[in-house]
């Protein structure tokens, strides 16, 4: 048995989390064997704090713990031999890491805040997405915890209609930057092949694109409120939106289904 197969990893997630999708996509793309352990919001902290983290995703690999999606992707890339999602060339690698960090810090929080603002009133649909694949007792508990979960999300992410509007502006601005980058006809954000920069952009844009092929648990676009649907269609109809959808189609397809 190869070293790669000897130590199947555990990926602690929440089913609807786009940062979890980022890590999951990387593990799938690199064919690093893992078992996913999805949890509902709030109860995820039992699993993450036990492993030295807070948020999801957390990767437990042998006796090592990785408590941030970027650390997970970097570890997985290095473990699988390197020069896969991060180019060996130092200048290109720096460019990939800079974009990845920008998407992590800017795109991810703003797509999430805008999407939650549209969906917090859709309690039943939200609960369905949040409980996909979780242990049965967590799914049961979530029906009781749902009002608390919604309040906590609203408070922690400071969701108001004004902040959601500002987040949408920020998402559009990042999409315009990506449009400009792609304007010279390039197929990937850095260099000639798929990297962690592309993966991170597409995964963290997922809450505003509802991409086919995404393994995060989302409702179907036609179940979303009309105003959300219209905005998703507008964002899909941009070069950046089409780019992310293409990445899901060509770089994500064929990966094992999420639980
Ligand atoms: N910087 C972290 C951000 C992860 C993150 O924000 N995860 C959210 C879900 S998308 C989360 O776990 N929120 C609940 C919490 O922080 O306990 C990463 O890249 O892994």
């Amino acid at each position: 048995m190869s070293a790669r197969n000897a130590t199947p990893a555990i990926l602690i997630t929440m089913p609807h989390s786009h940062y979890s999708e980022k890590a999951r996509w990387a593990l799938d793309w690199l064919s690093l064997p893992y078992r996913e352990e999805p949890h509902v919001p709030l109860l995820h902290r039992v699993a993450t704090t036990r492993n030295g983290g807070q948020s999801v995703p957390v990767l437990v690999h042998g006796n090592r713990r990785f408590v941030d999606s970027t650390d997970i992707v970097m570890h997985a890339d290095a473990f699988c031999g390197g020069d896969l999602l991060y180019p060996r060339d130092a200048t290109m690698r720096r460019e990939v890491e800079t974009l990845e960090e920008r998407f992590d810090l800017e795109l991810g929080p703003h797509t999430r805040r805008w999407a939650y603002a549209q969906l917090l009133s859709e309690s039943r649909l939200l609960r369905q997405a949040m409980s996909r694949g979780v242990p049965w007792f967590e799914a049961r508990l979530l029906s009781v915890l749902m009002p608390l979960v919604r309040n906590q999300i609203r408070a922690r992410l400071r969701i108001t209609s004004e902040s959601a509007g500002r987040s949408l502006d920020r998402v559009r601005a990042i999409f315009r930057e990506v449009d400009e980058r792609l304007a010279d006809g390039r197929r990937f954000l850095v260099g000639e092949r798929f990297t962690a920069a592309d993966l991170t952009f597409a995964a963290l844009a997922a809450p505003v694109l509802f991409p086919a092929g995404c393994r995060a648990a989302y409702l179907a676009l036609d179940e979303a409120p009309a105003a959300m649907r219209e905005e998703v269609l507008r964002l899909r109809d941009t070069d950046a939106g089409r780019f992310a959808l293409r990445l899901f189609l060509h770089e994500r397809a064929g990966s094992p289904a999420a639980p």
Side-chain angles (χ1 to χ4, degrees):
M1 192 186 270
S2 73
R4 202 157 147 166
N5 293 329
T7 51
I10 298 170
L11 184 66
I12 299 165
T13 64
M14 288 195 278
H16 62 294
S17 148
H18 57 341
Y19 287 94
S20 298
E21 171 63 1
K22 173 185 162 187
R24 186 192 292 119
W25 188 345
L27 299 183
D28 289 338
W29 197 86
L30 293 163
S31 301
L32 195 152
Y34 68 99
R35 175 169 65 75
E36 185 165 346
E37 191 188 299
H39 294 281
V40 300
L42 296 184
L43 301 184
H44 71 282
R45 287 275 178 139
V46 177
T48 56
T49 50
R50 202 171 44 219
N51 288 291
Q54 295 192 340
S55 56
V56 291
V58 168
L59 184 76
V60 180
H61 196 187
N63 56 9
R64 302 184 67 190
R65 310 277 184 273
F66 302 88
V67 299
D68 178 88
S69 64
T70 296
D71 293 343
I72 294 172
V73 180
M74 285 187 179
H75 163 72
D77 185 76
F79 187 81
C80 293
D83 201 19
L84 297 158
L85 287 169
Y86 298 91
R88 213 178 294 283
D89 174 85
T91 311
M92 284 172 73
R93 181 168 181 133
R94 240 189 331 272
E95 207 180 335
V96 168
E97 288 181 7
T98 303
L99 282 173
E100 178 176 19
E101 189 176 0
R102 173 146 172 67
F103 298 143
D104 278 342
L105 297 180
E106 277 276 319
L107 182 67
H110 290 295
T111 56
R112 173 173 59 197
R113 184 197 269 153
W114 181 77
Y116 270 137
Q118 314 311 303
L119 294 173
L120 275 184
S121 54
E122 306 287 333
S123 197
R124 186 184 57 82
L125 295 175
L126 212 52
R127 182 159 58 81
Q128 267 172 16
M130 288 172 170
S131 44
R132 192 180 76 186
V134 303
W136 66 268
F137 55 91
E138 290 195 22
R140 290 282 284 277
L141 264 176
L142 184 63
S143 31
V144 181
L145 289 176
M146 203 58 203
L148 186 61
V149 167
R150 287 167 56 211
N151 285 344
Q152 211 226 17
I153 290 172
R154 197 184 300 282
R156 283 197 62 199
L157 303 183
R158 293 193 219 95
I159 297 177
T160 62
S161 52
E162 291 75 29
S163 69
R166 284 196 301 275
S167 282
L168 181 57
D169 289 342
R170 301 283 280 276
V171 170
R172 287 181 181 140
I174 295 169
F175 269 49
R176 276 195 299 275
E177 279 173 33
V178 171
D179 285 349
E180 279 161 24
R181 214 178 163 89
L182 297 171
D184 60 6
R186 66 179 71 196
R187 296 188 58 243
F188 298 103
L189 292 175
V190 181
E192 301 293 321
R193 60 186 174 88
F194 184 65
T195 68
D198 304 301
L199 185 156
T200 303
F201 174 70
L204 300 186
V208 302
L209 293 173
F210 289 61
C214 179
R215 306 278 165 170
Y218 292 145
L219 49 158
L221 184 56
D222 58 11
E223 290 179 313
M228 182 179 203
R229 215 163 45 229
E230 281 158 25
E231 192 53 53
V232 168
L233 294 178
R234 267 195 292 276
L235 287 165
R236 279 182 177 180
D237 193 23
T238 60
D239 288 339
R242 277 185 287 274
F243 171 65
L245 296 177
R246 172 171 71 74
L247 294 178
F248 269 104
L249 206 62
H250 294 279
E251 306 292 341
R252 188 80 180 95
S255 58

